Amino acid sequence: DAKTTQPDSMESTEGETVHLPCSHATISGNEYIYWYRQVPLQGPEYVTHGLQQNTTNSMAFLAIASDRKSSTLILTHVSLRDAAVYHCILSGQQGTGSKLSFGKGAKLTVSP
Amino acid sequence: NSKVIQTPRYLVKGQGQKAKMRCIPEKGHPVVFWYQQNKNNEFKFLINFQNQEVLQQIDMTEKRFSAECPSNSPCSLEIQSSEAGDSALYLCASSLSGGGQDTQYFGPGTRLLVL
């Protein structure tokens, strides 16, 4: 059972900033929030993750609500290469063997 | 960027045939996961290993699938008798510990088509 809720799709235009929302109202205290993206015929690509604090890297900024029940992946200056299905996933429990449970994800379309 | 290597990229088999695919995890990653992504883009966890030992596996994996991660050799996933419903993208991922704090990095996948 998916523990996160995302919109099915979002649209943007090259150069824009995109906010991809994710709701995870039943998140546990030790669960990390992971974001992956996937394009056709490829495996999921790691984007970012966080536990409580906002995080940033070369790919995206992850904003996590103070109650941790939602998060937003922010992509700045999107390009055509950012078009993908974005998955918001809660990691399993701490310790080894923590499998990921992917949902449908949100399909981001980027127009020229 | 992920350095997980999966071979072959494409595999075509007839029903009842064996199908075998391989995965080389990122260097230094002792935990390996196998997932199946079907034509509806739904993911299913199959099995995971730490070094050579199985950590978790689902029922389907126990019955028709076999997997191993021998020392100093690629990990492998083999379907003993392929069925049409096994047609899917098989993804291998590796991580340092498999815990929630360690990222799983995915390979490009092996796309299996069972005719």
Side-chain angles (χ1 to χ4, degrees):
Chain A
D1 292 335
K3 295 176 63 177
T4 63
T5 301
Q6 300 177 253
D8 289 339
S9 62
M10 294 192 68
E11 295 182 354
S12 66
T13 304
E14 277 192 299
E16 288 185 340
T17 294
V18 176
H19 292 71
L20 299 172
C22 182
S23 173
H24 27 81
T26 60
I27 188 170
S28 300
N30 61 356
E31 286 184 308
Y32 284 73
I33 302 157
Y34 275 83
W35 284 81
Y36 286 84
R37 69 183 186 183
Q38 187 178 24
V39 297
L41 304 179
Q42 290 291 329
E45 177 187 24
Y46 168 75
V47 177
T48 189
H49 75 285
L51 181 63
Q52 196 160 7
Q53 304 298 322
N54 296 339
T55 63
T56 188
N57 62 20
S58 60
M59 294 182 73
F61 178 82
L62 177 61
I64 301 174
S66 57
D67 63 5
R68 301 206 331 123
K69 293 184 177 182
S70 65
S71 61
T72 302
L73 185 72
I74 301 171
L75 307 174
T76 58
H77 307 293
V78 295
S79 70
L80 297 177
R81 291 178 300 174
D82 293 314
V85 175
Y86 285 78
H87 294 275
C88 169
I89 305 164
L90 303 183
S91 69
Q93 66 281 0
Q94 296 262 345
T96 57
S98 179
K99 61 183 182 288
L100 298 175
S101 295
F102 286 83
K104 293 278 188 180
K107 183 175 183 179
L108 175 66
T109 302
V110 181
S111 302
Chain B
N1 290 335
S2 173
K3 298 177 179 61
V4 176
I5 299 171
Q6 288 190 251
T7 57
R9 291 294 308 275
Y10 299 92
L11 195 54
V12 181
K13 294 291 179 181
Q15 295 196 48
Q17 290 185 319
K18 286 186 181 180
K20 187 170 186 176
M21 54 205 83
R22 293 175 176 82
C23 170
I24 299 176
E26 283 206 25
K27 189 175 182 179
H29 284 189
V31 183
V32 173
F33 299 77
W34 285 98
Y35 296 86
Q36 178 195 66
Q37 186 179 18
N38 66 20
K39 61 182 180 180
N40 296 320
N41 292 323
E42 296 164 331
F43 287 78
K44 180 186 292 183
F45 164 79
L46 297 176
I47 190 170
N48 57 1
F49 292 83
Q50 181 169 17
N51 296 314
Q52 293 82 51
E53 294 194 15
V54 175
L55 295 174
Q56 296 171 293
Q57 61 182 330
I58 63 172
D59 286 348
M60 179 180 81
T61 311
E62 290 177 6
K63 291 172 182 172
R64 292 193 302 111
F65 290 59
S66 62
E68 60 178 1
C69 273
S71 177
N72 299 319
S73 293
C75 296
S76 65
L77 177 70
E78 185 173 57
I79 306 172
Q80 304 303 319
S81 179
S82 301
E83 300 174 356
D86 297 329
S87 296
L89 181 66
Y90 289 84
L91 295 161
C92 174
S94 71
S95 72
L96 279 172
S97 72
Q101 72 281 14
D102 287 323
T103 302
Q104 292 182 31
Y105 293 94
F106 286 81
T110 293
R111 184 165 295 279
L112 172 65
L113 175 63
V114 181
L115 302 175

